[in-house]
Amino acid sequence: MKFVFPSLRYKEKAIQFINEFYEYGSEINGSGSLDRYLKESTYEEWLEKILAAIDIANIVQPKVPALTYFYIREEDDRIIGMINIRLSSNDFIKGEAGHIGYCIRPTERRKHYATNMLNKGLKVLDVLGFKEVVLTCDKSNIASATVIKNCNGELVSEFYGESFKEDIQKYIIRR
């Protein structure tokens, strides 16, 4: 398994990835807004958005720099998941969004991909010197909470999130 920065080469595979969520009636979180861009715009404009997110000198507040990757199974070059790693903090990141968002396609769940992908994402933040990583999930998303706990996440609060209009669990992973 490896992280791959999105490119035009993965356009059709990315569209298939997002379509699988719709096919299975699954919520989409952690896709770096790919699902929204495919509905309202284009894959190419989404690529511009994720490139702009790493242009640290020109990030428009309240956004923070972020890296978005496909999580690719090397044997068949299939997109198994996506991860969005936010490279700094602000009140929204520390409060409701967290430093990392991720998703695994519905047909590839329950195979430990999410835990492995999150651990790999945490190593990116280690390079940047993060000592505490905030992660959040919907209170009803037991699978995501389990993944976070598998990566040594400690539940620190539960609250109603105004931005997402749902109950949220907030975890801290100390490095």
Side-chain angles (χ1 to χ4, degrees):
M1 299 297 298
K2 65 179 179 178
F3 283 162
V4 173
F5 196 78
S7 66
L8 282 175
R9 173 177 177 243
Y10 284 96
K11 179 178 179 176
E12 291 308 314
K13 290 180 184 205
I15 291 168
Q16 292 168 2
F17 174 81
I18 292 298
N19 284 340
E20 186 173 302
F21 285 85
Y22 298 132
E23 179 183 337
Y24 283 81
S26 182
E27 200 172 320
I28 305 172
N29 296 306
S31 74
S33 300
L34 175 58
D35 55 315
R36 186 172 52 84
Y37 270 77
L38 290 177
K39 278 185 177 179
E40 301 171 6
S41 185
T42 65
Y43 180 80
E44 290 78 6
E45 287 188 23
W46 177 74
L47 287 177
E48 289 176 21
K49 172 218 176 261
I50 63 168
L51 282 171
I54 60 175
D55 183 3
I56 294 171
N58 294 300
I59 297 291
V60 178
Q61 297 295 325
K63 300 269 186 201
V64 299
L67 294 169
T68 300
Y69 292 105
F70 294 136
Y71 194 53
I72 303 291
R73 186 169 50 212
E74 294 177 78
E75 303 91 76
D76 58 4
D77 205 36
R78 179 177 169 94
I79 299 173
I80 300 301
M82 289 185 69
I83 191 164
N84 184 259
I85 305 167
R86 296 159 196 121
L87 305 177
S88 66
S89 297
N90 61 22
D91 289 342
F92 181 62
I93 300 297
K94 290 187 265 183
E96 287 191 44
H99 289 106
I100 298 177
Y102 56 88
C103 61
I104 298 292
R105 69 187 314 144
T107 57
E108 297 289 352
R109 293 178 180 160
R110 304 177 75 73
K111 299 176 183 178
H112 303 287
Y113 287 126
T115 298
N116 294 336
M117 183 173 62
L118 178 55
N119 272 319
K120 191 170 183 151
L122 289 166
K123 289 178 182 174
V124 171
L125 294 176
D126 287 345
V127 170
L128 298 173
F130 276 66
K131 298 298 179 209
E132 290 189 344
V133 178
V134 174
L135 287 138
T136 63
C137 66
D138 305 348
K139 185 175 180 176
S140 63
N141 191 340
I142 295 165
S144 189
T146 300
V147 167
I148 295 168
K149 290 174 189 173
N150 286 343
C151 295
N152 299 315
E154 174 189 336
L155 180 63
V156 293
S157 65
E158 291 183 351
F159 57 92
Y160 181 77
E162 290 298 328
S163 298
F164 301 112
K165 306 292 184 218
E166 57 198 0
D167 292 326
I168 293 176
Q169 291 184 322
K170 178 179 173 180
Y171 292 84
I172 300 286
I173 297 177
R174 290 177 174 78
R175 306 300 285 165

